[in-house]
Amino acid sequence: MDKDEADRLIEKAKLCLRSGRKDRALQLLYEAQNIYPSTRARVLIDAIARNGGTAAPEANHVPPPTGWRDEDIRNNETSTASGDEKKSYTDDQRQGVQRIKNCKDFYEILGVSKNASDEDLKKAYRKLALKFHPDKNFAPGATDAFKAIGNAYAVLSNPEKRQQYDQYGDQSATMNAPQHSSHSRHGYYRSFHRDFEADISPEELFNIFFGGRFPTGNIHVYTNQGASYSQFYQPRRRRAYERREEVVEENQSQNTFTAFLQLLPVLVLILISVFTQMMATNPPYSLFYKPAMGLVVSRETQHMGVPYYVDKSFEKEYRGAALDELEKTIESDYIEHLQNSCWKEKQQKSDLANLGQLYRDERLKQKAESMRLDNCEKLHRLVGRQRGK
């Protein structure tokens, strides 16, 4: 995409050369070099320089920032001129613009003291930005005043750049002043405010601020000791490979997050299982021998003689009334176990008998008749013993 844009600018430069506009052709070629350096543009620049073209941009010409087209610049200049001529303005607006032009530093532009807080800066910027926005204020120079206000806020709202400005800002203005002594005060004003340029356009800052998405981080700035095209400023156009790298990084982060979401239920189940095991304690007894739980010592209840198993430390913990209560629970569990087991045995015997009758299978009938109900017999003996007592 950048290469295509550079080729388009080179073709426009050729048309300018055919019509005799060497300065414009050089400007387009330098812009093409900034977007996508090529031998083709370099050869044309050298050829124009050898044949009496204007000097290199480092000497007396600074091309517009990358991404701006000739139509953008021409339309902007034309619309600004025609807009100032057609639209009316008040004397108060004109005086306000003149006040901004006469300001000597960023603090004076925003109308705040040098120890103003971030909240004070925001309030001052909000008020001035609405007052001097080009869509509302049509006084001559209102656009430059609006940019100066945005630039002042962008610098002072950044703690690091504010500290640099407090230390070197006035010195920078003093250094620039002799170079422009023969120019008007407006020229001095423009040079002074180019020493600290915000890396965000005034319009973008305005839209972010009043669009409800005011940035919480710092707004970076850079120092610019030469001339610039701030009136045409836009952020640098990113090259295609930079955009592709950002897309790849974004996709990787999304894939990682998606994988994490997919594993989240499993992780939750593992955590719950571990937590449950940590919280759970081994029962003090079991009706069956369980060496894995340490229940290997055999005992019988004093009342009904129900066998059960405990660990080696059982006698230290359960004595007297505590032991009596526990054995009552053991006997109740044992009776319930026998009842459930007896019901299962009867159900199994009944199913075998029904199958033998259904299929007329004598073998199944005999197996059903000979099937013993051991748990039922234990239950009967236990109940008989209780009744006998």
Side-chain angles (χ1 to χ4, degrees), residues 20-40:
R21 295 186 294 162
K22 294 183 178 180
D23 292 347
R24 180 58 187 154
L26 267 178
Q27 185 178 1
L28 291 171
L29 290 171
Y30 283 126
E31 187 177 353
Q33 282 290 80
N34 289 336
I35 296 175
Y36 190 89
S38 65
T39 306
R40 184 182 175 195

Side-chain angles (χ1 to χ4, degrees), residues 48-194:
I48 295 173
R50 287 196 301 269
N51 288 279
T54 56
E58 291 80 1
N60 58 5
H61 176 74
V62 179
T66 302
W68 281 90
R69 302 187 297 273
D70 187 32
E71 293 83 359
D72 299 329
I73 300 175
R74 188 184 304 112
N75 293 339
N76 186 40
E77 294 173 347
T78 304
S79 62
T80 302
S82 60
D84 288 342
E85 293 174 359
K86 294 180 180 179
K87 298 179 179 179
S88 60
Y89 55 90
T90 64
D91 187 60
D92 181 61
Q93 290 176 330
R94 182 186 61 79
Q95 292 179 2
V97 171
Q98 191 62 36
R99 184 194 72 79
I100 298 295
K101 289 183 179 180
N102 293 334
C103 290
K104 297 180 181 179
D105 57 48
F106 290 155
Y107 293 101
E108 189 176 355
I109 289 176
L110 295 179
V112 297
S113 61
K114 289 194 175 183
N115 58 353
S117 64
D118 290 341
E119 190 64 29
D120 294 334
L121 293 175
K122 291 180 183 180
K123 290 180 180 179
Y125 173 76
R126 179 185 294 272
K127 179 180 177 181
L128 293 174
L130 289 173
K131 182 177 180 180
F132 288 94
H133 193 279
D135 291 344
K136 184 177 180 181
N137 192 325
F138 307 112
T143 301
D144 285 337
F146 175 74
K147 292 167 184 173
I149 293 167
N151 197 47
Y153 176 78
V155 173
L156 297 182
S157 62
N158 183 309
E160 180 183 353
K161 294 303 176 181
R162 181 176 180 176
Q163 182 180 1
Q164 293 179 5
Y165 178 76
D166 290 341
Q167 187 174 0
Y168 303 111
D170 294 336
Q171 297 178 14
S172 177
T174 304
M175 291 171 58
N176 286 339
Q179 301 175 11
H180 298 272
S181 58
S182 60
H183 295 276
S184 64
R185 188 171 184 83
H186 177 66
Y188 166 77
Y189 155 81
R190 289 176 58 82
S191 174
F192 170 72
H193 294 296
R194 294 302 175 263

